[in-house]
Amino acid sequence: MANSDFDSLYQDLLIEHSKQRHGFGLQPEPAAEVHSLNRSCGDEVTLRLHMDGERVEAVSWEGQGCAISQASASMLSDLVQGMPPEECRDCIAAFRSMLQSRGKDQDAPEQLGDAVALHGVSMYPPRIKCAMLAWVALEDALEQAVPTN
Ligand code: ZN
């Protein structure tokens, strides 16, 4: 996908995160690990959730794929450090609804940090899975480590 498809305002952020991937490199002793594939694009991520008591200590990950999938995982890793699991789930839900807004939702949710840069992806439905990949992996990892019921 050409970079010109994105708002130039957010383009730099996307490129930055896809080059300098935050949280990249699996750390030992995860509370949960999830491997996730996006077959339509060939993106792949292995994500580890690290808990510090009641909070998310960090998300470490490794993977390969398109710039969107890699940048999205990097942004996610930045965002959830130190968050309680409930807040993480809220952010994942907000991210999902932003991506499903098809560009209608112009007010990108502030709580998403750098990941608001991906709101333009909502105009390109085939790429939504790329952006969601790591987030769905974290959702699964949270469910394993801190089940909702
Ligand atoms: Zn992709």
Side-chain angles (χ1 to χ4, degrees), residues 11-61:
Q11 196 174 305
D12 290 350
L13 210 49
L14 180 76
I15 292 167
E16 225 171 83
H17 274 280
S18 65
K19 284 185 177 162
Q20 187 83 42
R21 296 174 290 183
H22 300 172
F24 196 88
L26 296 175
Q27 300 301 314
E29 296 177 38
E33 177 178 310
V34 174
H35 180 73
S36 198
L37 265 178
N38 173 22
R39 287 178 207 285
S40 59
C41 181
D43 309 320
E44 199 174 338
V45 67
T46 301
L47 179 146
R48 285 185 177 176
L49 170 66
H50 306 274
M51 297 296 294
D52 179 12
E54 302 282 288
R55 287 174 180 267
V56 174
E57 184 182 19
V59 161
S60 66
W61 64 282

Side-chain angles (χ1 to χ4, degrees), residues 13 17 72 75-76 79 95 98 112-119 135:
L13 210 49
H17 274 280
S72 179
M75 291 163 175
L76 175 67
L79 182 67
F95 187 68
M98 177 181 83
L112 295 179
D114 284 358
V116 297
L118 292 171
H119 87 275
W135 298 64

Side-chain angles (χ1 to χ4, degrees), residues 56-74:
V56 174
E57 184 182 19
V59 161
S60 66
W61 64 282
E62 280 180 4
Q64 53 191 1
C66 68
I68 293 172
S69 68
Q70 301 295 292
S72 179
S74 173

